Amino acid sequence: MFLNIVLVLAILSAVAFMFLTNMVTAWYHILIFLGVCVVSVVIWVFLYALFLFLWSLTIDKKKEVKKTSKFYGMIVRETMTMLLFFSRAHVHIEGKEKLPKDSKFLLVANHRSNYDPITSVVKFAKNDMIFVSKPENFNIPIAGAFMHRAGFIPIDRDNPKNALVTINKAAEYLKNQEASVGIFPEGTRNRTEETLLEFKNGAFKIATKAQVPIVVVAMKNMGMVKKNFPWKSTHVYAKIVDVITKEEVMNSNTAELSNRARTAMLAYLEE
């Protein structure tokens, strides 16, 4: 929605400029029009970012968020949609018909790029996706404040006691059907040559505590988006490789769930 608004405003601005300057008679004015459109997009995106920056200054990140916010979630999602568009990332997703129809869910995925959560939030928009994320991400200017207010949850990976608080909070969101929750069971971004890092079984406690399905997603080529920008577009791929039902979650332990999810991801990533 926001992306469409920006593009429409840019085109209208370019049209107004062309008429006000009376540049509507020669063929080369078309090239000028396209150039003005590009400049207008840059200006409107800058104004949007400035608006969000000023707004973010009013958000107290030290104040505990007890409920997710669909409004702030929409701001995060629409902004991420713009980021994907301007990064020239073309996302191909397979298997969305497998998604649970009557329940929020825990989404687990492999983690190679900062575009992994961005893609998931955008492509699972109807499921009100939020993520468990490292605390440093909440210090990112603009984004951190809105993520906090939307209900994204920081996790202290070095302190099991604090991590349990995060797991309980994520489980509560799911129990209340406030939002679907995403987490990367590798625990950190994979910068190695290995297809997948070892999984942290604790990530699956969120589903067992909330008694909700687990959606297993494998992503390919996400790491190329940043490398190709701005000169090349990038085709990235995401596939729902498994859906573990609520009943299966309730009858399994975290180690079994972790092994099943990892096996399903590897089968797709190593094709």
Side-chain angles (χ1 to χ4, degrees):
M1 181 179 68
F2 287 4
L3 173 61
N4 292 335
I5 291 173
V6 166
L7 296 177
V8 168
L9 287 173
I11 292 172
L12 291 177
S13 299
V15 169
F17 174 83
M18 298 301 287
F19 274 99
L20 289 173
T21 56
N22 200 30
M23 284 197 288
V24 291
T25 56
W27 67 268
Y28 60 84
H29 289 160
I30 296 175
L31 298 179
I32 297 175
F33 172 76
L34 294 175
V36 174
C37 281
V38 172
V39 173
S40 297
V41 167
V42 172
I43 291 172
W44 282 109
V45 169
F46 171 77
L47 291 175
Y48 175 70
L50 178 62
F51 173 72
L52 289 185
F53 171 71
L54 295 175
W55 190 354
S56 71
L57 297 179
T58 69
I59 298 174
D60 183 3
K61 291 191 289 185
K62 295 181 180 179
K63 184 177 180 180
E64 182 183 2
V65 173
K66 296 183 179 180
K67 291 186 66 176
T68 61
S69 168
K70 290 185 182 298
F71 175 73
Y72 281 93
M74 180 268 293
I75 299 292
V76 171
R77 183 173 62 252
E78 293 293 336
T79 304
M80 288 182 172
T81 299
M82 292 176 64
L83 182 58
L84 272 182
F85 177 81
F86 291 115
S87 297
R88 304 181 66 193
H90 304 285
V91 182
H92 307 273
I93 187 164
E94 183 181 347
K96 288 187 76 172
E97 70 281 355
K98 299 177 184 177
L99 291 175
K101 301 293 191 297
D102 57 353
S103 173
K104 303 297 186 186
F105 53 82
L106 177 70
L107 182 145
V108 297
N110 58 313
H111 193 20
R112 280 279 184 182
S113 165
N114 290 330
Y115 282 90
D116 298 330
I118 293 172
T119 300
S120 300
V121 168
V122 171
K123 293 303 176 180
F124 297 100
K126 292 182 179 179
N127 304 101
D128 302 315
M129 183 65 59
I130 63 168
F131 262 83
V132 174
S133 185
K134 61 183 181 181
E136 295 87 342
N137 287 340
F138 293 84
N139 295 325
I140 299 173
I142 304 177
F146 283 93
M147 286 167 52
H148 168 76
R149 190 61 186 83
F152 285 58
I153 316 169
I155 185 166
D156 186 346
R157 295 172 295 192
D158 299 321
N159 188 316
K161 184 177 179 180
N162 291 343
L164 183 60
V165 172
T166 294
I167 289 170
N168 289 335
K169 188 170 185 176
E172 195 66 25
Y173 284 165
L174 286 165
K175 280 182 182 178
N176 296 335
Q177 294 293 294
E178 291 184 43
S180 292
V181 176
I183 191 168
F184 299 114
E186 291 171 284
T188 187
R189 186 146 48 103
N190 183 2
R191 296 181 174 87
T192 73
E193 296 299 318
E194 297 292 326
T195 305
L196 283 174
L197 301 177
E198 289 301 315
F199 279 11
K200 311 294 184 184
N201 294 347
F204 295 85
K205 286 183 181 178
I206 297 172
T208 58
K209 284 177 174 287
Q211 298 185 356
V212 295
I214 299 173
V215 173
V216 185
V217 177
M219 302 185 188
K220 289 183 178 180
N221 216 36
M222 292 291 178
M224 294 304 297
V225 177
K226 186 177 180 180
K227 292 181 180 179
N228 288 341
F229 180 81
W231 310 115
K232 292 173 60 178
S233 61
T234 306
H235 289 270
V236 297
Y237 304 88
K239 182 177 181 179
I240 297 172
V241 293
D242 195 8
V243 175
I244 306 174
T245 66
K246 172 183 175 180
E247 291 71 27
E248 290 173 317
V249 168
M250 292 170 63
N251 292 318
S252 305
N253 59 41
T254 56
E256 291 168 336
L257 294 171
S258 176
N259 182 64
R260 175 170 167 178
R262 193 171 190 278
T263 300
M265 282 188 206
L266 278 172
Y268 173 67
L269 294 172
E270 294 182 345
E271 285 181 353

